[in-house]
Amino acid sequence: MRGMALRGKLLAALGVVLIALALFVDWPPPSESSLPETKSFLLFLGATVVMAGIIVGFLREP
């Protein structure tokens, strides 16, 4: 059994960095009310990238 592919590890690491930025940086409120808050956007984006990294990392290439 082989581990995660390098692409998956890199994507998961990028997602963790995005989540850490969302949690530990004090972001100012958006200047326009129609824009999403930076914190919630980065949390969503980070979680999506981590899940994509896990999926890509464990896919078996023929």
Side-chain angles (χ1 to χ4, degrees):
M1 182 173 150
R2 76 179 230 254
M4 281 182 67
L6 182 60
R7 281 183 297 214
K9 290 178 185 177
L10 290 175
L11 278 173
L14 176 64
V16 169
V17 167
L18 289 172
I19 292 171
L21 280 173
L23 294 176
F24 298 117
V25 175
D26 189 25
W27 298 98
S31 57
E32 295 182 25
S33 62
S34 63
L35 295 175
E37 289 186 25
T38 305
K39 182 177 183 173
S40 61
F41 177 72
L42 285 178
L43 283 172
F44 173 75
L45 186 63
T48 304
V49 171
V50 166
M51 291 306 296
I54 291 171
I55 291 170
V56 167
F58 286 117
L59 282 179
R60 303 281 184 201
E61 295 184 14

